[in-house]
Amino acid sequence: MSTPSHPRPGDKVPPASRANIPRLITDYFTLKPDPADPAQRVAFGTSGHRGTAAAASFTESHIAAITQAVCDHRARAGITGPLFLGKDTHALSEAAFTTALEVLAANNVDTMIDQSGGYTPTPVISHAILTHNRNRTTGLADGIVISPSHNPPEDGGFKYNPPNGGPADTDITGAIQNAANAWLAAPATIKRATNPTRAACIHRHDYITPYVADLENIIDMQAIAASGIRIGIDPLGGAAAAYWDPIIARYNLAATLTNPLIDPTFGFMTLDWDRKIRMDCSSPHAMTSLIALQTRFDIAFATDPDADRHGIVTPSAGLMPPNQYLAAAIAYLCTHRPHWPATAAIGKTAVSSAMIDRVVAAQGRTTIEVPVGFKWFSAGLIDGSLAFGGEESAGASFLRRDGSVWTTDKDGLILGLLAAEITATTNTDPARYYAEITETLGTSHYERIDAPASPAQKTILAKLDPSSVTATTLAGDPITAKLNRAPGNDAPLGGLKITTANAWFAARPSGTEHVYKIYAESFISRDHLNAVQAEAQTLVSGLFEKG
C-alpha cells in the first residue's frame, strides 16, 4: 500500500506520523503536573484515568499517586489477597508498570506479574481475579490494568478492577480519584521501593496457561478444530499477541497470526478516520490491512491493544459493524447454550442497536438496558442473572457453556473465537448469519455522528430533564419515551434518549472533546435515519438555547 504525501484514512502510517518514543518516556519521568490545573489532575472516567505525558496528564507522578490511592482503598476495604497487575503494549504502559510496581512493593501488596515480563490483556486480569476469588469470602484479589485501550500510541491509561473482576464503580473510582489528587499535591510522601521485582511481595505468575486451558469451557473449541476453517487473527500489536500461538497449538486450530509485530509506535497500522493512529478494531480505516485479507480466511478477527474489544472480518461482507455482530452473537448463543439459565437476561447499553431487543425478544428472553459502561454488567454476569453483556463500541462478555461467570470485563478474544464457532457450526459466516436474522426482524440503519458543543452546553445535556422536551413526534412517528435514566437499572444516562416505534436517538456529551454524540437508528430506511438525525440536532440545539 503506497503512502501519498498527504495520507488519507486507511493509508499506511507515514514515518513522520509515528510517535517519538524516547521523548515520550522522557516527558513521563521529567514533566511534573500542576495539581491546580484540571487538565493535569487525575480524572477517572468510564475507563479509568487516561492522558499523555506530553500534556503532563499521564506522568510518573500520576501513576505513583493513583497506585498509592489504590493501596489506600485496599486497606480501607479490607482487600488482603493478591493484586493482579497487567499492562498492554503502549510505550507509556511499560513505564507506568514500573512506577506502579515500586509503589505496590513499598506498600507490601502481594502483586502478580507476568512470569516472563510480558503483556497481559484486560480480560485475562478479570479471569485471574475471578478464578482466585471463586468460593472465597476472605483474602480476595483485585487488579490493575495499565492501558489506554485503542487510543493513539502517545496515550497512557490506568484501570482498577475490584474483587468482582469488572471495572470499578463510581463510588470506588471517585474515592481513588480524590485520594490520588491529594497524593499528587504531595508526591514526595508516596512510599516507593527500589528494585521492586526483587521484593518478596512481587510474584511472577503464569497468566497464559490457565486462561488458554479454560477457553474450552466458554467456546466450542472442538467444533472449531474439527471444522478445519481457516482463521486469520490480528492482535493489532497488542497484549493478546503472545496468547494466540498457545491457543492455536492447544486446540489444533487452522489459524494464522497475520501480524505478530509488537511496536510501541504502532507504525504497522493504517490511519484512522481523522488520520490519527488508533488501534480501533471496529474502524474500517484502522482495520484496512486485515480487511484486505478477508477472502484468504473463512473468518478473521482482531483485538485492540488490551484485547477487551473485537473486530470481526467476514469473507462475505468485510468488517462487521459492532452492533450487527452483537446481535448475531446473541442470537447464536441463545440457541447454542442449553445450560444457560432460562431466566438469564441479555444486557445492552442504551446506545446499542434496538435490533438486539428484537433478537432477544424472539428468543423469549429479556433485555436489560443500562448506561454506557461495562461496570453495569458485572453483578449480573457473576450471579447469572445476565447471560451476555455488550456495548456498541465492540466490547462484550458472556457466560461459560455451563452458565457460570467467565469474566466481568470485556473479552475480545472470546468474541473473536465465537465468530469462529459460529462459522464452524452453522457453515456460514456471522455476516450472513446476521443477514438471515434481518429477513424476519427487519433492517437496521444505525449511525453515530458528532456535533459541536461548548462545555456549558455539554453540562446542560448531561443534566437534562426529559420534561423540557416538548416535541411529540420524531421523523413523523409519535414519541413513545423520553429518557434520561436507563430503563434497566434507573441509572443516569448522562444525556437524553428519545424513542418511537420505528426509531430512536440518544445524545450524550463527549468526555474529551467539545462535541456531543448523537446515536440514532431507524428500522424504516436510510432517509428516515437522516431525518431522525436532523430532528435530533434541531431538538438538542433548541434545548441549548433555552439553557
Side-chain angles (χ1 to χ4, degrees):
M1 185 183 300
S2 63
T3 303
S5 56
H6 298 288
R8 299 161 297 184
D11 284 339
K12 283 288 189 183
V13 173
S17 296
R18 298 179 186 181
N20 184 329
I21 301 302
R23 180 179 299 165
L24 184 69
I25 300 303
T26 300
D27 287 344
Y28 172 83
F29 285 109
T30 60
L31 294 185
K32 305 303 177 185
D34 178 1
D37 183 349
Q40 295 181 20
R41 289 169 64 82
V42 174
F44 267 74
T46 56
S47 297
H49 175 78
R50 290 186 183 176
T52 185
S57 55
F58 193 93
T59 66
E60 181 183 32
S61 298
H62 290 97
I63 302 310
I66 298 170
T67 307
Q68 184 59 57
V70 168
C71 294
D72 297 343
H73 165 73
R74 284 173 57 92
R76 286 193 307 272
I79 300 170
T80 59
L83 183 143
F84 292 94
L85 179 63
K87 64 186 176 188
D88 79 352
T89 53
H90 280 77
L92 287 175
S93 297
E94 191 75 52
F97 181 87
T98 298
T99 304
L101 211 55
E102 291 174 351
V103 176
L104 292 166
N107 282 269
N108 199 33
V109 173
D110 280 310
T111 303
M112 316 301 281
I113 62 174
D114 182 81
Q115 63 181 1
S116 60
Y119 308 103
T120 310
T122 288
V124 175
I125 294 295
S126 180
H127 181 270
I129 293 169
L130 294 177
T131 299
H132 175 87
N133 291 343
R134 188 175 297 131
N135 300 321
R136 289 177 183 264
T137 56
T138 60
L140 298 179
D142 56 0
I144 290 171
V145 181
I146 300 175
S147 167
S149 190
H150 61 284
N151 278 23
E154 299 87 351
D155 285 8
F158 187 109
K159 303 184 288 187
Y160 173 68
N161 287 32
N164 72 1
D169 207 343
T170 51
D171 59 335
I172 296 175
T173 58
I176 291 174
Q177 173 182 295
N178 293 339
N181 281 317
W183 286 112
L184 196 65
T189 62
I190 299 173
K191 296 183 291 184
R192 297 174 65 169
T194 56
N195 296 321
T197 55
R198 298 180 182 176
C201 63
I202 306 302
H203 311 282
R204 296 196 177 272
H205 177 70
D206 181 3
Y207 280 107
I208 295 178
T209 302
Y211 179 86
V212 171
D214 210 10
L215 282 170
E216 64 184 1
N217 293 311
I218 188 164
I219 298 293
D220 191 345
M221 303 298 290
Q222 201 170 31
I224 299 172
S227 71
I229 59 169
R230 299 163 302 159
I231 305 169
I233 304 168
D234 188 349
L236 297 182
Y243 284 68
W244 288 113
D245 280 343
I247 291 171
I248 292 167
R250 182 181 184 92
Y251 296 106
N252 194 28
L253 304 182
T256 302
L257 210 59
T258 64
N259 173 29
L261 296 177
I262 302 292
D263 170 12
T265 72
F266 293 89
F268 50 77
M269 288 295 298
T270 50
L271 296 172
D272 205 2
W273 62 272
D274 55 359
R275 297 178 177 82
K276 290 184 178 181
I277 305 172
R278 191 180 286 111
M279 289 62 68
D280 182 357
C281 44
S282 67
S283 165
H285 306 298
M287 288 280 282
T288 296
S289 296
L290 189 58
I291 294 169
L293 303 176
Q294 69 186 70
T295 58
R296 279 183 47 186
F297 302 105
D298 298 304
I299 191 68
F301 52 84
T303 51
D304 68 339
D306 70 321
D308 68 343
R309 297 173 190 245
H310 59 271
I312 309 302
V313 175
T314 68
S316 66
L319 180 66
M320 289 188 73
N323 277 303
Q324 292 186 12
Y325 180 59
L326 288 180
I330 292 165
Y332 174 84
L333 287 166
C334 286
T335 55
H336 289 77
R337 294 297 186 268
H339 299 298
W340 276 9
T343 56
I346 303 298
K348 57 165 278 197
T349 54
V351 295
S352 299
S353 171
M355 178 63 82
I356 294 171
D357 302 69
R358 297 185 178 197
V359 166
V360 173
Q363 297 297 331
R365 292 185 183 266
T366 303
T367 301
I368 303 295
E369 186 172 303
V370 300
V372 171
F374 205 79
K375 64 186 179 184
W376 302 112
F377 302 130
S378 297
L381 289 169
I382 286 177
D383 66 20
S385 61
L386 284 182
F388 184 104
E391 295 186 310
E392 83 298 334
S393 55
S397 188
F398 49 91
L399 297 181
R400 295 166 182 263
R401 296 164 74 183
D402 68 1
S404 62
V405 63
W406 170 254
T407 63
T408 47
D409 214 330
K410 302 183 290 287
D411 190 337
L413 291 89
I414 63 166
L415 269 296
L417 289 168
L418 179 65
E421 180 186 328
I422 292 171
T423 305
T425 60
T426 67
N427 204 30
T428 190
D429 70 42
R432 289 196 174 103
Y433 192 83
Y434 175 78
E436 293 173 7
I437 293 170
T438 65
E439 292 176 4
T440 56
L441 298 182
T443 300
S444 162
H445 305 272
Y446 177 103
E447 187 176 50
R448 193 202 92 184
I449 59 175
D450 295 344
S454 68
Q457 290 172 329
K458 292 199 295 180
T459 300
I460 291 170
L461 183 56
K463 298 180 178 179
L464 195 65
D465 185 338
S467 64
S468 61
V469 178
T470 58
T472 58
T473 62
L474 176 67
D477 291 330
I479 290 174
T480 55
K482 304 173 184 178
L483 306 170
N484 69 346
R485 305 185 77 86
N489 62 357
D490 198 39
L493 292 174
L496 173 71
K497 183 173 183 178
I498 303 292
T499 67
T500 72
N502 298 305
W504 62 271
F505 83 84
R508 297 178 62 249
S510 168
T512 57
E513 301 172 276
H514 295 312
V515 300
Y516 70 94
K517 305 174 189 294
I518 298 176
Y519 306 81
E521 184 173 32
S522 167
F523 281 87
I524 295 178
S525 67
R526 176 72 210 196
D527 287 343
H528 187 249
L529 173 64
N530 293 339
V532 170
Q533 291 170 325
E535 290 192 23
Q537 287 186 268
T538 299
L539 188 153
V540 173
S541 296
L543 295 171
F544 287 162
E545 291 175 4
K546 291 180 183 179

